[in-house]
Amino acid sequence: MSQSQIQSQPAAPPIPAPLPASTEAGSYWTKMSTAARSPLKVSLRSSAIGFAGGLISILLLASLSSWTSTLWIMAPFGASAVLAFGLWDAPLSQPRNIIGGHLISTCIGLCVYHLFGSSPMTLALGVGVAIGAMMLTKTTHPPAGADPIVVITAGCSWSYLVSPVLIGSLLIVLLALLINNLEPGRRYPTFWY
């Protein structure tokens, strides 16, 4: 390179100095303050559909558990019903997420339990791995994040993956398809894959 070429090149922009610690901390805490209001809309009709869907799905699963010797229900299904019937159009409420999220998270919980037993560390490991796996497979379903806790603390066998997890999540999705689509303004699911 000639001397004129070197002199004609613009100088690199200066590297900004790091913010003082007090400014970084202030900015961090400021992000938690907002004047925004909840975007959720209140509708008596939607509330009634949510009520009916939650009532019917949990009543069916609980009744099947009492009528047979098979467990059909688990606590995270209550939260799945909230999403399936209350926030039916949210991406995390779709069939892929309800069924896939519960299957993946329960499978991870069972693997962790059968490999490492039950301890605070295995509970944390199960939930952490389940969250990561659901995100990677596009099956994130927040209620399913509790599945590893359920199977590890209860010491469940592999059959728990079929009943209540697979059968229960399939029933919730089936009821969500039937109940949500009774409302003309709803279209469930918004996607399958």
Side-chain angles (χ1 to χ4, degrees):
M1 251 195 273
S2 70
Q3 186 66 8
S4 63
Q5 288 176 323
I6 293 173
Q7 291 174 351
S8 67
Q9 291 181 345
I15 298 173
L19 293 172
S22 61
T23 306
E24 286 179 12
S27 174
Y28 177 78
W29 294 109
T30 304
K31 291 192 296 185
M32 297 178 204
S33 174
T34 181
R37 306 282 295 189
S38 171
L40 298 176
K41 293 180 175 48
V42 177
S43 159
L44 188 57
R45 188 174 179 98
S46 286
S47 295
I49 293 169
F51 165 78
L55 176 88
I56 293 168
S57 61
I58 299 305
L59 180 62
L60 176 63
L61 292 169
S63 296
L64 287 169
S65 293
S66 67
W67 297 334
T68 66
S69 61
T70 303
L71 183 64
W72 292 80
I73 194 164
M74 62 178 185
F77 285 163
S80 292
V82 171
L83 289 173
F85 301 103
L87 295 170
W88 57 272
D89 57 348
L92 308 180
S93 305
Q94 302 309 303
R96 169 193 177 103
N97 299 76
I98 294 174
I99 298 165
H102 279 300
L103 281 175
I104 288 168
S105 294
T106 301
C107 186
I108 288 167
L110 288 168
C111 287
V112 169
Y113 172 70
H114 289 285
L115 288 171
F116 306 113
S118 178
S119 71
M121 183 60 195
T122 58
L123 291 171
L125 179 65
V127 171
V129 172
I131 292 169
M134 285 190 289
M135 291 175 74
L136 289 171
T137 58
K138 297 182 182 179
T139 59
T140 303
H141 184 62
D147 294 358
I149 296 171
V150 170
V151 298
I152 292 169
T153 56
C156 295
S157 69
W158 287 97
S159 64
Y160 199 83
L161 193 57
V162 174
S163 179
V165 176
L166 177 61
I167 296 171
S169 59
L170 284 170
L171 281 172
I172 290 171
V173 167
L174 177 64
L175 288 168
L177 289 166
L178 296 173
I179 293 169
N180 283 322
N181 288 313
L182 289 174
E183 166 63 40
R186 291 187 180 201
R187 184 176 180 175
Y188 183 83
T190 59
F191 63 85
W192 282 100
Y193 304 101

